[in-house]
Amino acid sequence: MKPQPNSPLVLVADDEVNTTIMLQHVFERAGFRVERVNDGYTAIETAKRILPDLVLLDIRMPRLDGFEVLRLLREDELTANIPAIVITANATSPDDVERGLNLGADDYLEKPFAPQELLARARSKIRARQLEDALHRRTEQLEALLRVSARLNEHHELSDLLDLISDLSLELLPGDVSTIHLLDEQNKLVDERVRSRSGKITHKPDAGFINRALAENGAVQWKNITNEFATTLTVVLRHGEQRIGLLTILSADSTYDENHIRLFNSIGEQAALA
């Protein structure tokens, strides 16, 4: 199976070059991307640079041993949550196993090992981390929405609400410019707000794009609408069946994932309700 650009990335750290080549072959055949290093110091630097989905770590390595690598990975916020499987033939005493697990190893595998067992354990650890990250992101989104609801409920003047909704959009999501357009029952523009992180407003959605966006349901991501912004995210604000506005974020370099889109859609719902 040929690795894809979005395939899980595995960092293999082992001082035996033949072992790293073998592990690279095993994981690439299973569709993973692989980066190989042969000493502990390089393992730390590489992990910070590429932020792999999993680290396969030997204990006996030059410059920094695997125990020290584990400790440093877990102490750094960037790498603290990356799953790590220790693979070694040289540290199999109960004390060494206990030390590795206490330092933050997610699993322990002794050489020689069956490749299929290693792959199964690797997939399990990556999947567990993905589920944990998804739960963490969802919790953050719910907390953000509670803050949005509370702050919107503090403002009763329409003008203040429009300002706040635009500001909150840029506060909670990546992007360069946020706009909100308020419409009447005939979809005529009643009011608008435009906010920019830089303070300079160089672009806002035109009437043609607004009409296109109003035909959509839910949050929608648009590509290359303008030369200045690569990505545009829109959500129609509705009161029942009536369209009452359009909330938009424009970004020069961000691409929005499902979590961003879900959060933006929820912000739109809270904004319309307010």
Side-chain angles (χ1 to χ4, degrees), residues 97-136:
V97 173
E98 181 183 11
R99 182 182 177 191
L101 294 174
N102 286 339
L103 284 169
D106 294 271
D107 207 346
Y108 215 105
L109 194 60
E110 184 178 349
K111 300 175 184 176
F113 54 83
Q116 289 306 114
E117 179 184 1
L118 174 58
L119 286 170
R121 294 192 185 203
R123 291 190 178 103
S124 173
K125 300 308 172 186
I126 291 173
R127 181 59 178 160
R129 179 60 61 194
Q130 289 172 340
L131 291 173
E132 185 174 333
D133 288 345
L135 178 60
H136 179 68

Side-chain angles (χ1 to χ4, degrees), residues 136-149 152 165 168-174 218-220 233-235 237 247 249 256-271:
H136 179 68
R137 287 194 299 269
R138 189 59 178 156
T139 300
E140 287 184 331
Q141 290 176 359
L142 291 173
E143 291 174 349
L145 288 175
L146 288 173
R147 294 197 302 272
V148 168
S149 179
L152 290 177
I165 292 165
L168 284 172
S169 299
L170 283 183
E171 180 181 318
L172 295 173
L173 289 162
V220 177
L233 195 59
T234 64
V235 63
L237 309 183
L247 183 59
I249 285 186
Y256 299 103
D257 60 23
E258 292 181 2
N259 295 297
H260 293 131
I261 293 172
R262 187 186 303 115
L263 177 59
F264 193 57
N265 198 62
S266 297
I267 291 172
E269 293 174 354
Q270 292 292 324

Side-chain angles (χ1 to χ4, degrees), residues 9 15 24 28 30 45 49 78 93 101 131 137 153 165 177-178 196 219 224 272:
L9 176 58
D15 63 336
Q24 180 176 14
E28 286 185 345
E45 294 302 307
R49 176 173 56 84
L78 271 178
S93 73
L101 294 174
L131 291 173
R137 287 194 299 269
N153 287 334
I165 292 165
V177 174
S178 170
S196 170
N224 301 316

Side-chain angles (χ1 to χ4, degrees), residues 194-213:
V194 184
R195 288 287 189 273
S196 170
R197 290 192 191 278
S198 67
K200 298 179 180 179
I201 308 298
T202 56
H203 177 86
K204 62 181 181 179
D206 59 25
F209 175 71
I210 291 173
N211 288 331
R212 287 172 60 193

Side-chain angles (χ1 to χ4, degrees), residues 11 13 39-41 43-44 47-48 54-61 64-77 79-88 91 96-108:
L11 174 61
D39 68 82
Y41 181 81
I44 291 293
K48 292 179 181 180
L54 176 71
V55 177
L56 299 181
L57 184 63
D58 187 32
I59 292 299
R60 303 291 183 243
M61 290 189 296
L64 290 176
D65 67 20
F67 293 129
E68 187 66 9
V69 171
L70 269 175
R71 184 184 68 79
L72 293 173
L73 287 175
R74 293 302 178 243
E75 288 181 354
D76 192 305
E77 185 177 348
T79 58
N81 295 321
I82 297 174
I85 298 178
V86 172
I87 303 175
T88 185
D96 282 337
V97 173
E98 181 183 11
R99 182 182 177 191
L101 294 174
N102 286 339
L103 284 169
D106 294 271
D107 207 346
Y108 215 105

Side-chain angles (χ1 to χ4, degrees), residues 12-25 35-40 56-62 64 87-91 110-113:
V12 178
D14 196 307
D15 63 336
E16 297 181 5
V17 175
N18 289 338
T19 299
T20 64
I21 293 174
M22 181 272 291
L23 288 171
Q24 180 176 14
H25 180 67
E35 186 93 6
R36 297 185 289 118
V37 297
N38 299 114
D39 68 82
L56 299 181
L57 184 63
D58 187 32
I59 292 299
R60 303 291 183 243
M61 290 189 296
L64 290 176
I87 303 175
T88 185
N90 301 313
E110 184 178 349
K111 300 175 184 176
F113 54 83

